[in-house]
């Protein structure tokens, strides 16, 4: 609750998530210097160049002398590279700059990608509802009708121009209400768990000022996969214990089921953490935020 509230407060104060160029549009230019240069020196050198919304972020340690320049509005890739390279060569002669990569995304493409990413998260959750309701409650038909209705309504409203972000938020809320009304309790538990995991993740990203781009969306979908995998393991054990009527109350059945699968959860999460920590420290700047 503390993490979620802190994340929500951060998002409200900042006016929403900090989107990368994939979603907001603009350009990223990654530059490496052969000698140490400060971000202040780079900003001063580029002060007279028309680079709207210029922000400079250091990548790696100070000794690497590697920076990411973000520009909110720009022209062609070639002219941008040439302008930056020429300006830095003239105004920072003490250090040679090498432009390692340049990425440019138009604002319209960015907005479309943002909408599609939000939709991907919603449809992933909806398919999860169908699977869990069918497997654990044997209510494939009810879950299928609910999913088709929500997906159809989302599509039709999208056709008349309703923003997809608000549509997905409303549809997710309706999904939880419908699951509650139809007593699809396993699906509801899984969706609430997923909402919790995503809310905590996005909140922490906001608190750390990490940009949300397509790589981060891939990471969030990976988190959904791990979360769902763990959920199904626990649900499976709950179902087995309910069939055997081993424990007198439902709450005790849930508690014992979680305890019985806890060692497996710790081992799976622990080995995954070892890999992601290695990627975080050794994987380079591209994979850093994903990890």
């Amino acid at each position: 609750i503390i993490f979620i509230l802190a994340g929500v407060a951060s998002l409200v104060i900042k006016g929403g998530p900090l989107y990368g160029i994939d979603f907001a549009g603009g350009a990223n230019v990654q530059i490496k210097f052969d000698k140490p240069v400060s971000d202040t020196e780079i900003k001063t050198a580029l002060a007279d160049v028309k680079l709207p919304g210029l922000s400079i972020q250091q990548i790696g340690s100070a000794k690497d002398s590697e920076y990411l320049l973000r520009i909110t509005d720009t022209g062609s890739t070639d002219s941008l590279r040439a302008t930056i390279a020429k300006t830095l060569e003239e105004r920072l002669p003490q250090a040679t700059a090498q432009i390692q990569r340049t990425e440019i995304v138009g604002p319209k493409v960015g907005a479309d990608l943002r909408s599609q990413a939000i939709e991907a998260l919603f449809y992933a959750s909806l398919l999860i509802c169908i699977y869990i309701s069918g497997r654990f409650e044997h209510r494939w038909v009810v879950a299928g009708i609910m999913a088709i209705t929500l997906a159809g309504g989302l599509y039709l409203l999208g056709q008349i121009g309703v923003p997809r972000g608000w549509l997905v938020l409303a549809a997710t809320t309706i999904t939880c209400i419908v699951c509650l009304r139809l007593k699809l309790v396993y699906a509801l538990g899984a969706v609430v768990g997923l909402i919790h995991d995503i809310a905590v993740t996005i909140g922490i990203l906001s608190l750390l000022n990490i940009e949300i781009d397509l790589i981060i969306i891939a990471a969030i979908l990976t988190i959904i996969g791990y979360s769902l995998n763990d959920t199904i393991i626990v649900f499976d054990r709950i179902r087995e214990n309910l069939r055997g009527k081993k424990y007198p109350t439902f709450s005790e059945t849930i508690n014992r089921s979680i305890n019985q699968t806890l060692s497996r959860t710790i081992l799976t999460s622990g080995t995954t953490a070892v890999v992601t920590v290695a990627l975080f420290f050794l994987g380079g700047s591209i994979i850093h935020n994903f990890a």
Side-chain angles (χ1 to χ4, degrees), residues 1 73 131 140:
I1 289 171
D73 187 19
Y131 172 72
W140 290 103

Side-chain angles (χ1 to χ4, degrees), residues 52-69:
L54 175 65
S55 64
I56 302 172
Q57 177 186 350
Q58 187 173 20
I59 300 174
S61 61
K63 66 179 180 180
D64 294 331
S65 295
E66 197 166 345
Y67 293 90
L68 185 68
L69 277 58

Side-chain angles (χ1 to χ4, degrees), residues 124-140 143 179 184-194 224 227-233 235-236 239:
S125 302
L126 200 56
L127 290 170
I128 286 164
C129 284
I130 298 173
Y131 172 72
I132 289 180
S133 297
R135 175 169 174 179
F136 294 102
E137 299 174 287
H138 306 292
R139 301 179 71 183
W140 290 103
C179 286
L184 299 173
V185 290
Y186 282 90
L188 179 62
V191 170
V192 171
L194 289 178
I224 287 176
S227 175
L228 178 64
N229 180 54
D230 203 46
T231 298
I232 287 176
I233 295 293
F235 279 5
D236 218 25
R239 185 175 59 173

Side-chain angles (χ1 to χ4, degrees), residues 219-266:
I220 290 172
L221 288 169
T222 306
I223 290 170
I224 287 176
Y226 271 93
S227 175
L228 178 64
N229 180 54
D230 203 46
T231 298
I232 287 176
I233 295 293
V234 177
F235 279 5
D236 218 25
R237 185 55 60 90
I238 290 171
R239 185 175 59 173
E240 289 174 9
N241 288 335
L242 284 173
R243 281 176 180 171
K245 296 181 179 178
K246 296 180 179 179
Y247 308 105
T249 64
F250 187 52
S251 60
E252 189 175 350
T253 301
I254 292 175
N255 188 53
R256 292 299 182 94
S257 300
I258 291 171
N259 283 330
Q260 287 166 1
T261 56
L262 192 58
S263 60
R264 175 250 164 223
T265 298
I266 291 171

Side-chain angles (χ1 to χ4, degrees), residues 33-69:
F33 294 90
D34 61 349
K35 294 177 182 176
V37 176
S38 69
D39 55 351
T40 306
E41 289 177 298
I42 299 171
K43 185 168 282 190
T44 303
L46 297 172
D48 297 335
V49 183
K50 190 178 179 181
L51 299 173
L54 175 65
S55 64
I56 302 172
Q57 177 186 350
Q58 187 173 20
I59 300 174
S61 61
K63 66 179 180 180
D64 294 331
S65 295
E66 197 166 345
Y67 293 90
L68 185 68
L69 277 58

